[in-house]
Amino acid sequence: EVVLLSVGAVALLTLVGAGWARWALPGLPVRTAVSLAPSVGLAVIVLAGLLADLLGATPGGAWSLLATGAAGAGGYVAARR
């Protein structure tokens, strides 16, 4: 069970951070960007959570999840430009 949760957490961090990694480091091979994506994803989730908290969202509430999803999607939008 712990292994499955760990794999899921790394997959979520990779999904959130992949767009931002491609945006921040253009020209890198995809393999390198994917290897950096979990750490970038963690940073994005922390910053989105901080922003959500500053705006009054409760931790674990719907607004926090929305902020995390928007931050992750923003990376893909930024990488496309």
Side-chain angles (χ1 to χ4, degrees), residues 19 22-23 26 74-81:
R22 294 288 292 172
W23 172 77
Y76 290 100
V77 171
R80 289 198 54 116
R81 293 186 176 190

Side-chain angles (χ1 to χ4, degrees), residues 6-28:
S6 299
V7 169
V10 171
L12 177 66
L13 291 174
T14 302
L15 183 66
V16 171
W20 288 111
R22 294 288 292 172
W23 172 77
L25 303 164
L28 281 182

Side-chain angles (χ1 to χ4, degrees), residues 32-61:
T32 305
V34 170
S35 67
L36 292 172
S39 59
V40 174
L42 180 60
V44 168
I45 288 175
V46 167
L47 291 175
L50 176 64
L51 180 63
D53 182 55
L54 290 174
L55 294 174
T58 57

